[in-house]
Every structure is written in structure tokens, then in C-alpha cells.
Amino acid sequence: MPVVKYPRAAEPLWHEWDRKAQKHGLRHTVYAVNGDRYTGEWLDNLKHGKGIQIWKHNGAIYSGDWKFGKRDGYGSYSIPDPVTKEYLKVYTGWWRNNKECGYGTMFYPSGERYEGEWSSGQRSGWGRMCYGDGSTYEGQWLADRPGGQGMLCLPNNNRYEGSWKDGKKHGPGRFFFLDKGQLLEGIWVTDVPKCGIIIDFSRDTAPAPTQYPIPKIELADPDGVLAEAQVMFDDSQNE
């Protein structure tokens, strides 16, 4: 019995329309229902490649790299000044999965600035923060706060060098009172020096040295006392 071959059914017209509507590779401008606008490259209907996104509700703009619909790569995020309407940079640097990740610079509304490493939208790694009062912190960060080894320089040039935890001086460190010509070397716990040794440090050239000299230490082994305190501190951290 001969095999009868029927003609192949034509592809539904909506299939062709859907295929033509797929945004892939080329640059397109698309408006969202809420008024947001994106102009850039696409892949399988997702923002992918180079592109610019403008949010209608606050006028913010992101220009840079995208990956499967999210900010990923290098890009800059800015917002308009409420008075002048000029765009002010908020963050310039690397992104991953829609969050700051890698090396970048954040500009805060108060005029403060952070330049350094990021992870999942938080300051993490090595970075430098310039605060509004003129002080600067440069060192390690963890979970968006100073954590590890770092140096804090105050507006009067006094500085602390040492360990940090949860944004506070914590552990072995040295505080240079350059205005007094003295140095405090000891151990801090949540910003409070618990024990240490104060010595004169460039006292002759200090702008405002203390009135009375430091009395002579009567301990037979001050270094041993400090070392013992360090051991006690380490043990308390391991409990």
C-alpha cells in the first residue's frame, strides 16, 4: 500500500512574531511599564553586554556592563542633584550580580569617599575611606567596617596603627600623639586602651608637648608585662 505524504503544516504566525520579537545581540531601546528605559545590547531578551539604564522614579542612571539582566562587569551609577539636576556619581567600578564587587569608588552624599575593594555590595578587602571630619582610614575591611590591620589618621595628624574589629580599635596597636610628642603602644578592646606603654616620641619638635615628662618606669620587665597582657588578650579571643 503506497505511503501517502501529507504536506507539512505551516508554522503558526505567532511563532514567527515571537521569534522576531526576541532581542538578541543588537542594541535596542526598551521602555518598562513603570517608565524605566534601557538602551543597549541584549541576549535572549535579557540585558547583556553594554547598556544604559535610566530609572524613572529617581532619575538614576547606570552605564556599563550587563550580564543576563544584571549589572555585571565595569560600570558607573549616578543620580541627579535635586537642585541643579546635574548628575552626581555615586559609584564607579566593578559589579557582580547587581552589586558592587571588586575594585571601585563610592561617593557619599555627605562628601565622604571610599576607594577600594568590595564584596556583595559591602566594603571588604583593602580600602581607603575619607571621612567628613578630615580623618582617613586605610587598611583592611570586613562586612562594611574596618576589620584586620589598618591605620586611622586624624585631622590633627595623630594616628593609630594596629588591629581593628567591627569598626573599632581592637587588639595590639600603636597610637602616635604627634601633637604631644608621645607614643602609646599597647592593647585595645573595643576602642579602649586596656594596657600599654607611653614613651616620648619627637617631644622636642611637637607643637604642644605635655607639661610634665613621663616618669621613669619602675617595672623590672615592662616588655614582659606587655607580652603577658598580649597572651591574656589572645586567650580571651579564642574562648
Side-chain angles (χ1 to χ4, degrees):
M1 185 175 180
V3 178
V4 179
K5 294 184 178 180
Y6 295 95
R8 185 177 180 180
E11 182 181 33
L13 187 58
W14 67 269
H15 277 184
E16 181 180 356
W17 289 344
D18 185 65
R19 188 168 55 251
K20 289 181 179 179
Q22 292 286 324
K23 295 175 283 296
H24 185 91
L26 300 178
R27 293 180 63 87
H28 296 273
T29 298
V30 175
Y31 291 84
V33 176
N34 61 3
D36 295 348
R37 183 173 83 246
Y38 172 80
T39 300
E41 299 172 324
W42 298 78
L43 178 65
D44 295 335
N45 269 354
L46 294 174
K47 304 163 191 172
H48 192 88
K50 302 289 185 182
I52 300 174
Q53 168 89 20
I54 300 177
W55 287 267
K56 183 179 180 180
H57 75 283
N58 62 356
I61 182 171
Y62 170 81
S63 177
D65 297 326
W66 296 78
K67 187 175 182 180
F68 300 120
K70 296 182 179 180
R71 289 168 289 185
D72 199 299
Y74 189 85
S76 179
Y77 177 80
S78 304
I79 58 174
D81 184 276
V83 178
T84 65
K85 305 302 180 182
E86 294 182 358
Y87 274 97
L88 306 174
K89 282 188 178 181
V90 176
Y91 175 81
T92 298
W94 292 91
W95 302 72
R96 181 181 296 171
N97 198 27
N98 238 11
K99 295 181 179 180
E100 299 89 347
C101 188
Y103 195 89
T105 302
M106 177 72 75
F107 303 90
Y108 297 89
S110 59
E112 298 180 339
R113 185 180 76 256
Y114 170 83
E115 182 177 0
E117 296 175 301
W118 295 78
S119 179
S120 299
Q122 293 186 327
R123 293 166 290 185
S124 184
W126 189 268
R128 186 172 190 265
M129 181 77 186
C130 298
Y131 296 97
D133 63 358
S135 60
T136 61
Y137 170 82
E138 184 171 0
Q140 295 174 307
W141 293 75
L142 181 63
D144 217 36
R145 291 184 289 185
Q149 295 295 310
M151 178 177 66
L152 175 68
C153 293
L154 302 178
N156 62 0
N157 291 325
N158 290 349
R159 70 178 187 271
Y160 169 82
E161 300 176 358
S163 300
W164 295 77
K165 182 179 180 182
D166 297 331
K168 297 181 179 180
K169 296 181 282 291
H170 193 85
R174 299 186 299 172
F175 200 108
F176 294 85
F177 296 92
L178 299 183
D179 59 336
K180 303 295 184 182
Q182 293 178 325
L183 166 65
L184 169 59
E185 183 172 6
I187 297 174
W188 274 255
V189 176
T190 59
D191 261 352
V192 178
K194 291 297 184 178
C195 67
I197 300 173
I198 297 180
I199 63 174
D200 284 333
F201 178 79
S202 300
R203 183 187 181 93
D204 296 337
T205 59
T210 53
Q211 182 178 358
Y212 302 104
I214 298 175
K216 183 179 180 180
I217 297 177
E218 299 297 337
L219 290 174
D221 186 15
D223 292 337
V225 173
L226 189 58
E228 182 179 353
Q230 175 68 61
V231 172
M232 295 176 61
F233 174 82
D234 294 340
D235 291 342
S236 67
Q237 298 304 301
N238 296 328
E239 291 179 354

